[in-house]
Amino acid sequence: MPKKAKPAGTGKEEGPAPSKQLKVGAAGGPSTLNFDSPSGFFESLISPIKAETFFKEFWEQKPLLIQRDDPAPATYYQSLFKLSDLKGLCSRGVYYGRDVNVCRCVNGKKKVLNKDGKAHFLQLRKDFDQKRATIQFHQPQRFKLSPFLLKDELWRIQEKLECYFGSLVGSNVYITPAGSQGLPPHFDDVEVFVLQLEGEKHWRLYPPTVPLAREYSVEAEGRIGRPAHEFTLKPGDLLYFPRGTIHQADTPPGLAHSTHLTISTYQNSSWGDLLLDTISGLVFDAAAEDVALRAGIPRRLLLVETTAEAARRLSGFLRTLADRLEGTSKLLSSDMKKDFVANRLPPYHAGDGAALSTPGGQLPRLDSIVRLQFKDHIVLTVMPDQGGSDETQEKMVYIYHSLKNRRDTHMMGHEETEAHGLRFPLSHVDALKQIWSSSAISVKDLKLTTDEEKENLALSLWTECLIQVV
Protein backbone atom coordinates (compact mmCIF):
# COMPACT_ATOMS: atom_id res chain seq x y z
CA MET A 1 0.00 0.00 0.00
CA PRO A 2 2.12 3.02 -1.20
CA LYS A 3 1.77 6.74 -0.56
CA LYS A 4 1.08 6.42 3.12
CA ALA A 5 -0.04 9.78 4.47
CA LYS A 6 0.58 9.12 8.14
CA PRO A 7 1.04 6.11 10.40
CA ALA A 8 -2.06 3.91 10.63
CA GLY A 9 -1.39 2.66 14.12
CA THR A 10 1.23 2.02 16.73
CA GLY A 11 2.48 -1.22 15.20
CA LYS A 12 5.78 -1.25 13.35
CA GLU A 13 5.62 -1.95 9.65
CA GLU A 14 7.84 -4.39 7.82
CA GLY A 15 7.88 -6.51 4.67
CA PRO A 16 5.94 -5.08 1.69
CA ALA A 17 5.22 -1.43 1.06
CA PRO A 18 2.92 0.06 3.68
CA SER A 19 -0.78 0.39 3.12
CA LYS A 20 -2.15 3.45 1.45
CA GLN A 21 -4.05 5.41 4.05
CA LEU A 22 -6.20 8.39 3.19
CA LYS A 23 -7.54 10.88 5.68
CA VAL A 24 -10.68 12.43 4.21
CA GLY A 25 -11.91 15.68 5.69
CA ALA A 26 -15.56 16.62 6.01
CA ALA A 27 -15.47 18.60 2.78
CA GLY A 28 -13.77 15.84 0.77
CA GLY A 29 -15.63 12.70 1.78
CA PRO A 30 -18.76 11.39 0.10
CA SER A 31 -22.01 12.26 1.85
CA THR A 32 -23.92 9.42 0.14
CA LEU A 33 -23.17 6.57 -2.24
CA ASN A 34 -23.97 7.06 -5.91
CA PHE A 35 -26.45 4.43 -7.09
CA ASP A 36 -26.93 5.86 -10.60
CA SER A 37 -24.71 3.20 -12.20
CA PRO A 38 -22.50 0.29 -11.11
CA SER A 39 -19.31 2.18 -12.01
CA GLY A 40 -20.53 5.34 -10.29
CA PHE A 41 -21.41 3.33 -7.20
CA PHE A 42 -17.97 1.71 -6.93
CA GLU A 43 -16.23 5.06 -7.42
CA SER A 44 -18.28 6.51 -4.56
CA LEU A 45 -17.61 3.47 -2.35
CA ILE A 46 -13.82 3.86 -2.58
CA SER A 47 -13.81 7.66 -2.83
CA PRO A 48 -11.55 9.60 -3.01
CA ILE A 49 -9.54 6.86 -4.74
CA LYS A 50 -10.28 6.57 -8.46
CA ALA A 51 -11.28 3.16 -9.83
CA GLU A 52 -8.44 3.29 -12.36
CA THR A 53 -5.92 3.80 -9.57
CA PHE A 54 -7.51 1.09 -7.45
CA PHE A 55 -7.26 -1.61 -10.12
CA LYS A 56 -3.79 -0.55 -11.20
CA GLU A 57 -2.22 -0.36 -7.76
CA PHE A 58 -4.29 -2.38 -5.27
CA TRP A 59 -6.68 -4.97 -6.74
CA GLU A 60 -5.26 -8.47 -6.15
CA GLN A 61 -1.98 -6.83 -5.10
CA LYS A 62 -2.08 -5.17 -1.70
CA PRO A 63 -4.43 -3.68 0.91
CA LEU A 64 -5.99 -0.24 0.78
CA LEU A 65 -7.04 1.66 3.89
CA ILE A 66 -9.34 4.70 3.65
CA GLN A 67 -9.96 6.51 6.93
CA ARG A 68 -12.60 9.23 6.83
CA ASP A 69 -13.03 12.11 9.26
CA ASP A 70 -16.52 12.76 7.96
CA PRO A 71 -19.78 12.28 9.88
CA ALA A 72 -21.81 11.67 6.68
CA PRO A 73 -20.35 8.26 5.69
CA ALA A 74 -20.06 7.33 9.37
CA THR A 75 -23.78 7.95 9.88
CA TYR A 76 -24.66 6.08 6.69
CA TYR A 77 -22.49 3.07 7.60
CA GLN A 78 -24.03 2.95 11.07
CA SER A 79 -27.48 2.71 9.49
CA LEU A 80 -26.62 -0.48 7.59
CA PHE A 81 -26.60 -2.81 10.61
CA LYS A 82 -26.54 -2.34 14.38
CA LEU A 83 -26.45 -4.69 17.33
CA SER A 84 -30.01 -3.64 18.14
CA ASP A 85 -31.20 -4.92 14.72
CA LEU A 86 -30.61 -8.48 15.92
CA LYS A 87 -33.62 -8.34 18.25
CA GLY A 88 -36.06 -7.79 15.41
CA LEU A 89 -34.33 -10.32 13.18
CA CYS A 90 -34.54 -13.00 15.86
CA SER A 91 -38.25 -12.36 16.26
CA ARG A 92 -38.70 -13.23 12.59
CA GLY A 93 -36.77 -16.49 12.85
CA VAL A 94 -33.02 -16.95 12.43
CA TYR A 95 -31.14 -20.16 13.09
CA TYR A 96 -27.73 -21.11 14.41
CA GLY A 97 -25.33 -22.21 11.71
CA ARG A 98 -27.46 -21.08 8.79
CA ASP A 99 -27.98 -17.44 9.76
CA VAL A 100 -25.84 -16.77 12.80
CA ASN A 101 -22.66 -18.08 14.41
CA VAL A 102 -21.46 -17.32 17.93
CA CYS A 103 -17.73 -17.75 18.37
CA ARG A 104 -14.59 -16.56 20.10
CA CYS A 105 -10.88 -16.88 19.43
CA VAL A 106 -9.30 -18.79 22.33
CA ASN A 107 -5.57 -19.54 22.31
CA GLY A 108 -5.37 -19.04 18.56
CA LYS A 109 -8.32 -21.31 17.78
CA LYS A 110 -11.93 -20.65 16.90
CA LYS A 111 -14.33 -21.79 19.62
CA VAL A 112 -17.91 -22.10 18.35
CA LEU A 113 -20.61 -21.45 20.98
CA ASN A 114 -23.69 -22.13 18.86
CA LYS A 115 -26.80 -23.67 20.32
CA ASP A 116 -29.21 -25.87 18.36
CA GLY A 117 -32.09 -24.61 16.28
CA LYS A 118 -33.61 -21.15 16.45
CA ALA A 119 -31.55 -18.27 17.83
CA HIS A 120 -33.10 -16.07 20.52
CA PHE A 121 -31.89 -12.54 21.09
CA LEU A 122 -31.63 -12.85 24.88
CA GLN A 123 -29.34 -15.88 24.52
CA LEU A 124 -27.23 -14.15 21.88
CA ARG A 125 -26.91 -11.12 24.12
CA LYS A 126 -26.02 -13.30 27.11
CA ASP A 127 -23.18 -15.02 25.19
CA PHE A 128 -22.10 -11.64 23.86
CA ASP A 129 -21.95 -9.99 27.31
CA GLN A 130 -20.85 -12.88 29.53
CA LYS A 131 -18.71 -15.03 27.23
CA ARG A 132 -17.31 -12.11 25.22
CA ALA A 133 -18.38 -13.92 22.07
CA THR A 134 -18.55 -12.49 18.56
CA ILE A 135 -21.88 -12.67 16.76
CA GLN A 136 -21.43 -13.40 13.05
CA PHE A 137 -24.55 -12.77 10.95
CA HIS A 138 -24.56 -14.46 7.53
CA GLN A 139 -25.69 -12.75 4.33
CA PRO A 140 -27.86 -9.98 5.85
CA GLN A 141 -28.85 -8.78 2.36
CA ARG A 142 -31.37 -11.67 2.31
CA PHE A 143 -33.75 -10.01 4.73
CA LYS A 144 -36.68 -7.88 3.63
CA LEU A 145 -37.28 -4.23 4.42
CA SER A 146 -38.93 -3.53 7.75
CA PRO A 147 -39.19 -0.33 9.74
CA PHE A 148 -37.42 -1.85 12.73
CA LEU A 149 -35.11 -4.39 11.08
CA LEU A 150 -32.27 -4.46 8.62
CA LYS A 151 -32.71 -1.95 5.83
CA ASP A 152 -32.84 -2.90 2.15
CA GLU A 153 -29.65 -0.93 1.61
CA LEU A 154 -27.43 -4.02 1.65
CA TRP A 155 -29.45 -5.59 -1.17
CA ARG A 156 -29.08 -2.32 -3.07
CA ILE A 157 -25.32 -2.17 -2.44
CA GLN A 158 -24.55 -5.78 -3.29
CA GLU A 159 -26.73 -5.84 -6.39
CA LYS A 160 -24.81 -2.86 -7.75
CA LEU A 161 -21.48 -4.55 -6.95
CA GLU A 162 -22.54 -7.79 -8.66
CA CYS A 163 -23.30 -5.73 -11.76
CA TYR A 164 -19.93 -3.99 -11.46
CA PHE A 165 -17.75 -7.04 -10.89
CA GLY A 166 -19.77 -9.62 -12.83
CA SER A 167 -19.25 -11.95 -9.88
CA LEU A 168 -21.28 -13.00 -6.85
CA VAL A 169 -21.00 -10.62 -3.89
CA GLY A 170 -21.66 -11.88 -0.35
CA SER A 171 -21.55 -10.23 3.05
CA ASN A 172 -21.25 -11.00 6.75
CA VAL A 173 -21.68 -8.81 9.82
CA TYR A 174 -19.33 -9.27 12.80
CA ILE A 175 -20.30 -7.82 16.20
CA THR A 176 -17.55 -8.16 18.81
CA PRO A 177 -17.58 -6.97 22.45
CA ALA A 178 -14.78 -4.87 23.92
CA GLY A 179 -11.52 -6.68 24.64
CA SER A 180 -12.40 -9.71 22.52
CA GLN A 181 -11.61 -11.38 19.20
CA GLY A 182 -13.92 -13.62 17.20
CA LEU A 183 -11.65 -15.44 14.73
CA PRO A 184 -8.01 -16.57 14.74
CA PRO A 185 -5.54 -15.40 12.09
CA HIS A 186 -6.67 -16.73 8.72
CA PHE A 187 -6.90 -15.98 5.03
CA ASP A 188 -9.84 -16.16 2.65
CA ASP A 189 -10.46 -17.11 -0.97
CA VAL A 190 -12.31 -13.87 -1.72
CA GLU A 191 -11.53 -10.20 -2.28
CA VAL A 192 -12.64 -8.40 0.88
CA PHE A 193 -14.03 -4.92 1.51
CA VAL A 194 -14.52 -4.06 5.19
CA LEU A 195 -16.92 -1.28 6.22
CA GLN A 196 -16.69 -0.21 9.85
CA LEU A 197 -20.24 0.38 11.11
CA GLU A 198 -20.14 0.79 14.92
CA GLY A 199 -17.37 1.32 17.43
CA GLU A 200 -13.71 0.60 16.63
CA LYS A 201 -11.88 -2.49 15.43
CA HIS A 202 -8.15 -3.12 15.62
CA TRP A 203 -6.74 -4.91 12.54
CA ARG A 204 -3.48 -6.72 11.85
CA LEU A 205 -2.60 -7.78 8.31
CA TYR A 206 0.25 -10.11 7.32
CA PRO A 207 1.83 -10.94 3.95
CA PRO A 208 0.15 -13.90 2.24
CA THR A 209 1.73 -17.32 2.36
CA VAL A 210 -0.52 -18.27 -0.58
CA PRO A 211 -1.06 -15.23 -2.84
CA LEU A 212 -4.56 -15.10 -4.36
CA ALA A 213 -5.54 -18.19 -2.38
CA ARG A 214 -8.22 -20.53 -3.72
CA GLU A 215 -9.41 -21.71 -0.30
CA TYR A 216 -9.87 -20.56 3.30
CA SER A 217 -7.20 -21.49 5.85
CA VAL A 218 -6.37 -20.75 9.49
CA GLU A 219 -2.76 -19.78 10.18
CA ALA A 220 -0.93 -20.40 13.46
CA GLU A 221 0.12 -17.13 15.05
CA GLY A 222 3.61 -18.46 15.63
CA ARG A 223 4.13 -18.93 11.90
CA ILE A 224 2.99 -15.57 10.56
CA GLY A 225 5.42 -13.27 12.35
CA ARG A 226 4.77 -9.61 13.01
CA PRO A 227 2.03 -7.75 11.14
CA ALA A 228 2.98 -5.81 8.04
CA HIS A 229 0.09 -3.39 8.67
CA GLU A 230 -1.67 -2.47 11.90
CA PHE A 231 -4.42 0.11 12.38
CA THR A 232 -7.83 0.80 13.95
CA LEU A 233 -10.99 1.33 11.91
CA LYS A 234 -13.68 3.79 12.99
CA PRO A 235 -17.24 4.26 11.63
CA GLY A 236 -17.14 5.39 8.00
CA ASP A 237 -13.72 3.82 7.34
CA LEU A 238 -13.15 1.28 4.57
CA LEU A 239 -10.50 -1.41 4.19
CA TYR A 240 -9.77 -3.58 1.16
CA PHE A 241 -7.43 -6.56 1.00
CA PRO A 242 -6.85 -9.29 -1.61
CA ARG A 243 -7.65 -12.97 -1.16
CA GLY A 244 -4.83 -14.76 0.59
CA THR A 245 -4.07 -11.81 2.92
CA ILE A 246 -3.64 -13.17 6.45
CA HIS A 247 -5.62 -11.06 8.92
CA GLN A 248 -7.08 -10.90 12.39
CA ALA A 249 -9.23 -8.26 14.10
CA ASP A 250 -10.23 -7.49 17.68
CA THR A 251 -12.20 -4.85 19.57
CA PRO A 252 -9.93 -2.78 21.82
CA PRO A 253 -10.62 -3.09 25.58
CA GLY A 254 -12.40 -0.33 27.43
CA LEU A 255 -14.50 0.69 24.44
CA ALA A 256 -18.00 -0.05 23.26
CA HIS A 257 -18.65 -3.07 21.05
CA SER A 258 -17.56 -3.05 17.40
CA THR A 259 -19.64 -3.91 14.33
CA HIS A 260 -18.14 -4.30 10.88
CA LEU A 261 -19.46 -5.53 7.56
CA THR A 262 -17.37 -7.61 5.18
CA ILE A 263 -18.35 -7.53 1.52
CA SER A 264 -16.65 -10.28 -0.47
CA THR A 265 -16.37 -11.18 -4.14
CA TYR A 266 -14.37 -13.03 -6.83
CA GLN A 267 -14.54 -16.49 -5.32
CA ASN A 268 -13.64 -19.05 -8.02
CA SER A 269 -13.38 -16.28 -10.62
CA SER A 270 -9.78 -16.75 -11.76
CA TRP A 271 -8.38 -17.34 -15.25
CA GLY A 272 -7.87 -20.94 -14.18
CA ASP A 273 -11.56 -21.27 -13.36
CA LEU A 274 -12.52 -19.74 -16.70
CA LEU A 275 -10.16 -22.08 -18.54
CA LEU A 276 -11.69 -25.11 -16.83
CA ASP A 277 -15.14 -23.83 -17.76
CA THR A 278 -14.28 -23.01 -21.37
CA ILE A 279 -12.16 -25.98 -22.40
CA SER A 280 -14.93 -28.58 -22.27
CA GLY A 281 -16.94 -26.62 -24.84
CA LEU A 282 -13.88 -26.21 -27.03
CA VAL A 283 -13.18 -29.94 -26.94
CA PHE A 284 -16.83 -30.71 -27.73
CA ASP A 285 -16.77 -28.47 -30.82
CA ALA A 286 -13.34 -29.59 -32.00
CA ALA A 287 -14.15 -33.29 -31.63
CA ALA A 288 -17.18 -32.83 -33.87
CA GLU A 289 -14.86 -31.66 -36.67
CA ASP A 290 -11.55 -33.47 -36.03
CA VAL A 291 -11.48 -37.26 -36.28
CA ALA A 292 -8.15 -37.34 -34.41
CA LEU A 293 -9.94 -36.20 -31.24
CA ARG A 294 -12.51 -38.94 -31.69
CA ALA A 295 -9.90 -41.69 -32.02
CA GLY A 296 -9.60 -44.03 -29.02
CA ILE A 297 -6.79 -43.74 -26.49
CA PRO A 298 -4.21 -46.59 -26.37
CA ARG A 299 -5.25 -49.79 -24.66
CA ARG A 300 -4.56 -49.94 -20.92
CA LEU A 301 -3.56 -46.23 -20.81
CA LEU A 302 -5.80 -45.73 -17.78
CA LEU A 303 -4.03 -48.57 -15.95
CA VAL A 304 -0.51 -47.17 -16.21
CA GLU A 305 1.26 -43.86 -15.66
CA THR A 306 0.91 -41.36 -18.49
CA THR A 307 3.44 -42.22 -21.19
CA ALA A 308 5.63 -39.74 -23.03
CA GLU A 309 3.72 -40.44 -26.22
CA ALA A 310 0.37 -39.75 -24.53
CA ALA A 311 1.73 -36.48 -23.10
CA ARG A 312 2.97 -35.50 -26.57
CA ARG A 313 -0.44 -36.19 -28.12
CA LEU A 314 -2.26 -34.22 -25.41
CA SER A 315 0.13 -31.29 -25.87
CA GLY A 316 -0.62 -31.28 -29.57
CA PHE A 317 -4.35 -31.31 -28.98
CA LEU A 318 -4.04 -28.41 -26.52
CA ARG A 319 -2.13 -26.36 -29.11
CA THR A 320 -4.88 -27.09 -31.63
CA LEU A 321 -7.51 -25.95 -29.13
CA ALA A 322 -5.53 -22.78 -28.40
CA ASP A 323 -5.44 -21.96 -32.12
CA ARG A 324 -9.20 -22.51 -32.38
CA LEU A 325 -9.86 -20.29 -29.37
CA GLU A 326 -7.66 -17.43 -30.59
CA GLY A 327 -9.41 -17.31 -33.94
CA THR A 328 -13.02 -17.56 -32.76
CA SER A 329 -15.62 -14.85 -32.30
CA LYS A 330 -18.37 -17.32 -31.36
CA LEU A 331 -20.13 -17.31 -28.02
CA LEU A 332 -18.39 -19.88 -25.84
CA SER A 333 -20.26 -22.31 -23.65
CA SER A 334 -19.92 -21.23 -20.04
CA ASP A 335 -21.38 -22.84 -16.95
CA MET A 336 -19.79 -19.97 -14.99
CA LYS A 337 -22.16 -17.53 -16.69
CA LYS A 338 -25.18 -19.66 -15.93
CA ASP A 339 -24.17 -20.26 -12.31
CA PHE A 340 -23.50 -16.57 -11.72
CA VAL A 341 -26.85 -15.41 -13.08
CA ALA A 342 -28.78 -18.23 -11.38
CA ASN A 343 -27.33 -17.42 -7.95
CA ARG A 344 -27.03 -13.64 -7.94
CA LEU A 345 -29.39 -11.06 -6.50
CA PRO A 346 -32.41 -9.91 -8.50
CA PRO A 347 -32.46 -6.25 -9.59
CA TYR A 348 -33.07 -3.91 -6.67
CA HIS A 349 -36.58 -2.49 -6.53
CA ALA A 350 -38.48 -0.52 -3.92
CA GLY A 351 -41.99 -1.71 -4.79
CA ASP A 352 -43.55 -5.09 -5.42
CA GLY A 353 -41.23 -5.95 -8.30
CA ALA A 354 -44.01 -6.13 -10.91
CA ALA A 355 -41.68 -4.73 -13.58
CA LEU A 356 -39.51 -7.84 -13.18
CA SER A 357 -42.31 -10.34 -13.76
CA THR A 358 -45.04 -8.60 -15.78
CA PRO A 359 -44.25 -7.12 -19.21
CA GLY A 360 -45.34 -3.53 -19.60
CA GLY A 361 -45.84 -1.03 -22.37
CA GLN A 362 -46.66 -1.82 -25.97
CA LEU A 363 -46.57 -5.27 -27.49
CA PRO A 364 -43.65 -5.46 -29.97
CA ARG A 365 -44.56 -5.66 -33.67
CA LEU A 366 -42.51 -5.91 -36.83
CA ASP A 367 -42.30 -2.11 -37.17
CA SER A 368 -41.49 -1.57 -33.44
CA ILE A 369 -38.20 -0.22 -32.14
CA VAL A 370 -37.05 -2.14 -29.08
CA ARG A 371 -34.22 -1.94 -26.60
CA LEU A 372 -32.80 -4.28 -23.99
CA GLN A 373 -33.50 -3.64 -20.32
CA PHE A 374 -31.80 -5.05 -17.20
CA LYS A 375 -28.76 -5.71 -19.41
CA ASP A 376 -26.44 -6.22 -16.42
CA HIS A 377 -28.71 -9.05 -15.24
CA ILE A 378 -28.66 -11.05 -18.49
CA VAL A 379 -26.10 -13.32 -20.17
CA LEU A 380 -25.99 -15.04 -23.55
CA THR A 381 -24.28 -18.39 -23.94
CA VAL A 382 -24.21 -21.29 -26.39
CA MET A 383 -24.66 -24.77 -24.95
CA PRO A 384 -25.79 -28.22 -26.08
CA ASP A 385 -29.57 -28.50 -26.09
CA GLN A 386 -30.45 -29.47 -22.52
CA GLY A 387 -33.89 -30.57 -23.62
CA GLY A 388 -32.69 -32.72 -26.51
CA SER A 389 -31.65 -36.34 -26.64
CA ASP A 390 -28.13 -37.49 -25.83
CA GLU A 391 -27.71 -38.58 -29.44
CA THR A 392 -28.33 -35.22 -31.12
CA GLN A 393 -26.67 -32.71 -28.71
CA GLU A 394 -27.67 -29.83 -31.00
CA LYS A 395 -26.28 -26.43 -30.01
CA MET A 396 -28.74 -23.81 -28.77
CA VAL A 397 -28.48 -20.17 -27.68
CA TYR A 398 -29.45 -19.72 -24.04
CA ILE A 399 -30.45 -16.44 -22.41
CA TYR A 400 -30.25 -16.54 -18.62
CA HIS A 401 -31.41 -13.72 -16.37
CA SER A 402 -31.82 -12.97 -12.66
CA LEU A 403 -35.12 -11.07 -12.74
CA LYS A 404 -36.98 -13.91 -11.01
CA ASN A 405 -34.23 -14.86 -8.56
CA ARG A 406 -35.04 -15.16 -4.87
CA ARG A 407 -33.37 -12.64 -2.64
CA ASP A 408 -33.90 -14.74 0.51
CA THR A 409 -31.64 -17.57 -0.74
CA HIS A 410 -28.80 -15.38 -2.02
CA MET A 411 -25.36 -16.87 -1.26
CA MET A 412 -26.86 -19.76 0.70
CA GLY A 413 -25.02 -22.57 -1.06
CA HIS A 414 -27.21 -25.40 0.25
CA GLU A 415 -30.38 -23.82 -1.11
CA GLU A 416 -31.86 -25.02 -4.43
CA THR A 417 -31.48 -22.42 -7.19
CA GLU A 418 -33.21 -22.32 -10.56
CA ALA A 419 -31.88 -20.83 -13.77
CA HIS A 420 -34.46 -18.59 -15.44
CA GLY A 421 -34.39 -17.75 -19.11
CA LEU A 422 -35.07 -18.68 -22.73
CA ARG A 423 -33.50 -20.81 -25.43
CA PHE A 424 -33.42 -20.29 -29.18
CA PRO A 425 -32.00 -22.10 -32.22
CA LEU A 426 -28.40 -21.28 -33.04
CA SER A 427 -29.67 -19.44 -36.14
CA HIS A 428 -30.94 -16.69 -33.80
CA VAL A 429 -27.52 -15.83 -32.36
CA ASP A 430 -26.77 -12.92 -34.73
CA ALA A 431 -30.16 -11.31 -34.13
CA LEU A 432 -29.69 -11.61 -30.37
CA LYS A 433 -26.22 -10.05 -30.64
CA GLN A 434 -27.82 -7.15 -32.54
CA ILE A 435 -30.23 -6.50 -29.68
CA TRP A 436 -27.44 -6.78 -27.10
CA SER A 437 -25.08 -4.39 -28.89
CA SER A 438 -27.62 -1.74 -29.94
CA SER A 439 -29.06 1.04 -27.82
CA ALA A 440 -32.28 0.48 -29.82
CA ILE A 441 -33.13 -1.51 -32.95
CA SER A 442 -36.07 -2.05 -35.26
CA VAL A 443 -37.56 -5.54 -35.09
CA LYS A 444 -37.68 -5.69 -38.91
CA ASP A 445 -33.87 -5.18 -39.05
CA LEU A 446 -33.08 -8.31 -37.03
CA LYS A 447 -30.93 -10.84 -38.88
CA LEU A 448 -33.49 -13.59 -39.24
CA THR A 449 -34.93 -15.21 -42.33
CA THR A 450 -38.64 -14.46 -41.95
CA ASP A 451 -40.72 -11.65 -40.46
CA GLU A 452 -42.49 -14.24 -38.33
CA GLU A 453 -39.19 -15.27 -36.71
CA LYS A 454 -38.37 -11.63 -36.01
CA GLU A 455 -41.72 -10.92 -34.34
CA ASN A 456 -41.63 -14.16 -32.35
CA LEU A 457 -38.14 -13.41 -31.04
CA ALA A 458 -39.15 -9.91 -29.95
CA LEU A 459 -42.34 -11.18 -28.36
CA SER A 460 -40.49 -13.89 -26.41
CA LEU A 461 -38.00 -11.37 -25.01
CA TRP A 462 -40.78 -8.88 -24.18
CA THR A 463 -42.85 -11.54 -22.39
CA GLU A 464 -39.78 -12.31 -20.24
CA CYS A 465 -39.44 -8.55 -19.44
CA LEU A 466 -36.05 -8.39 -21.17
CA ILE A 467 -36.91 -5.76 -23.82
CA GLN A 468 -39.26 -2.79 -24.05
CA VAL A 469 -40.78 -0.93 -26.99
CA VAL A 470 -39.50 2.64 -27.33
Side-chain angles (χ1 to χ4, degrees):
M1 303 184 204
K3 303 179 187 173
K4 185 170 179 181
K6 58 190 293 188
T10 57
K12 296 180 179 179
E13 305 224 355
E14 58 183 24
S19 64
K20 182 166 185 174
Q21 178 183 343
L22 296 171
K23 284 281 188 178
V24 184
S31 58
T32 59
L33 295 175
N34 174 12
F35 288 94
D36 291 343
S37 67
S39 58
F41 173 80
F42 186 71
E43 287 269 10
S44 67
L45 180 68
I46 63 170
S47 176
I49 291 288
K50 297 297 183 184
E52 180 181 2
T53 302
F54 175 78
F55 287 104
K56 182 179 179 180
E57 298 184 14
F58 301 101
W59 177 254
E60 296 190 329
Q61 300 171 64
K62 56 190 175 184
L64 168 67
L65 170 64
I66 300 176
Q67 293 184 308
R68 298 182 171 113
D69 293 329
D70 184 351
T75 300
Y76 177 73
Y77 280 18
Q78 288 170 344
S79 74
L80 296 178
F81 200 107
K82 301 183 291 295
L83 174 61
S84 58
D85 289 324
L86 282 174
K87 186 174 183 179
L89 286 166
C90 288
S91 70
R92 297 181 57 192
V94 297
Y95 292 83
Y96 286 104
R98 186 191 72 181
D99 303 309
V100 65
N101 274 336
V102 179
C103 59
R104 186 176 181 186
C105 179
V106 179
N107 298 322
K109 295 183 179 181
K110 178 181 176 180
K111 183 177 181 181
V112 178
L113 305 172
N114 287 355
K115 308 296 187 292
D116 292 327
K118 192 174 180 180
H120 298 280
F121 179 72
L122 291 179
Q123 182 63 55
L124 289 176
R125 191 65 203 243
K126 180 179 179 181
D127 290 337
F128 182 81
D129 292 332
Q130 297 182 8
K131 298 182 179 179
R132 320 306 298 156
T134 288
I135 300 171
Q136 178 188 13
F137 197 85
H138 300 306
Q139 309 303 338
Q141 74 281 0
R142 295 176 291 135
F143 291 85
K144 295 180 181 179
L145 177 66
S146 174
F148 56 94
L149 297 179
L150 184 61
K151 321 302 185 295
D152 271 345
E153 208 69 357
L154 293 180
W155 173 18
R156 194 180 180 203
I157 288 170
Q158 288 173 236
E159 184 259 339
K160 273 290 184 284
L161 288 175
E162 287 186 334
C163 291
Y164 185 74
F165 285 110
S167 180
L168 294 176
V169 175
S171 68
N172 286 309
V173 170
Y174 297 86
I175 310 173
T176 304
S180 187
Q181 179 170 331
L183 300 175
H186 66 279
F187 59 80
D188 298 300
D189 58 347
V190 287
E191 302 294 305
V192 175
F193 296 85
V194 178
L195 283 62
Q196 185 65 26
L197 310 185
E198 292 185 302
E200 299 182 7
K201 188 143 291 177
H202 169 240
W203 285 82
R204 286 169 285 175
L205 308 183
Y206 307 79
T209 53
V210 184
L212 302 183
R214 290 180 54 83
E215 55 188 24
Y216 168 94
S217 180
V218 173
E219 290 283 1
E221 188 138 20
R223 293 181 51 203
I224 59 179
R226 300 178 64 186
H229 316 294
E230 188 169 3
F231 44 81
T232 298
L233 295 184
K234 297 180 180 180
D237 292 347
L238 181 141
L239 168 67
Y240 158 79
F241 52 84
R243 56 195 187 276
T245 303
I246 302 169
H247 57 279
Q248 58 180 324
D250 62 273
T251 302
L255 300 176
H257 69 269
S258 167
T259 303
H260 78 264
L261 170 74
T262 63
I263 297 176
S264 58
T265 189
Y266 257 63
Q267 186 177 49
N268 300 328
S269 297
S270 68
W271 281 110
D273 294 304
L274 184 61
L275 182 61
L276 286 170
D277 186 46
T278 302
I279 201 165
S280 61
L282 284 173
V283 172
F284 181 90
D285 291 344
E289 301 174 10
D290 188 348
V291 68
L293 280 167
R294 301 199 299 271
I297 61 177
R299 289 183 304 105
R300 297 180 58 79
L301 181 63
L302 303 181
L303 299 176
V304 298
E305 292 187 15
T306 303
T307 64
E309 174 61 17
R312 186 187 67 79
R313 292 290 300 276
L314 287 172
S315 297
F317 289 138
L318 288 172
R319 280 189 285 272
T320 300
L321 292 174
D323 291 340
R324 287 179 63 94
L325 179 60
E326 194 158 350
T328 189
S329 59
K330 297 179 181 178
L331 289 169
L332 296 175
S333 173
S334 175
D335 287 331
M336 285 177 69
K337 286 185 178 182
K338 177 182 176 182
D339 290 344
F340 167 53
V341 172
N343 289 283
R344 65 171 299 185
L345 283 164
Y348 173 80
H349 56 82
D352 60 4
L356 306 181
S357 58
T358 305
Q362 296 177 321
L363 194 74
R365 303 293 186 187
L366 188 63
D367 59 351
S368 298
I369 296 176
V370 299
R371 68 181 176 197
L372 195 67
Q373 57 181 358
F374 304 112
K375 186 174 182 179
D376 286 337
H377 285 265
I378 313 168
V379 297
L380 281 175
T381 188
V382 173
M383 302 176 71
D385 185 1
Q386 297 173 10
S389 66
D390 292 338
E391 289 79 17
T392 58
Q393 288 291 292
E394 181 183 2
K395 286 292 190 72
M396 302 287 286
V397 185
Y398 283 83
I399 299 173
Y400 294 110
H401 65 81
S402 60
L403 273 60
K404 300 176 183 177
N405 285 8
R406 291 174 54 191
R407 172 189 174 192
D408 61 327
T409 61
H410 183 243
M411 298 302 291
M412 303 301 286
H414 59 279
E415 302 281 358
E416 232 9 79
T417 56
E418 178 184 357
H420 303 285
L422 302 167
R423 66 173 182 168
F424 298 97
L426 198 57
S427 59
H428 285 49
V429 67
D430 289 335
L432 288 166
K433 286 182 176 180
Q434 283 180 283
I435 296 172
W436 253 251
S437 60
S438 303
S439 58
I441 188 169
S442 174
V443 174
K444 64 184 177 182
D445 291 335
L446 295 176
K447 293 180 180 179
L448 288 169
T449 305
T450 68
D451 290 347
E452 183 181 9
E453 286 180 315
K454 297 174 184 180
E455 278 197 336
N456 286 340
L457 173 59
L459 183 60
S460 296
L461 296 173
W462 178 82
T463 303
E464 202 74 4
C465 303
L466 302 182
I467 63 169
Q468 61 181 173
V469 177
V470 296

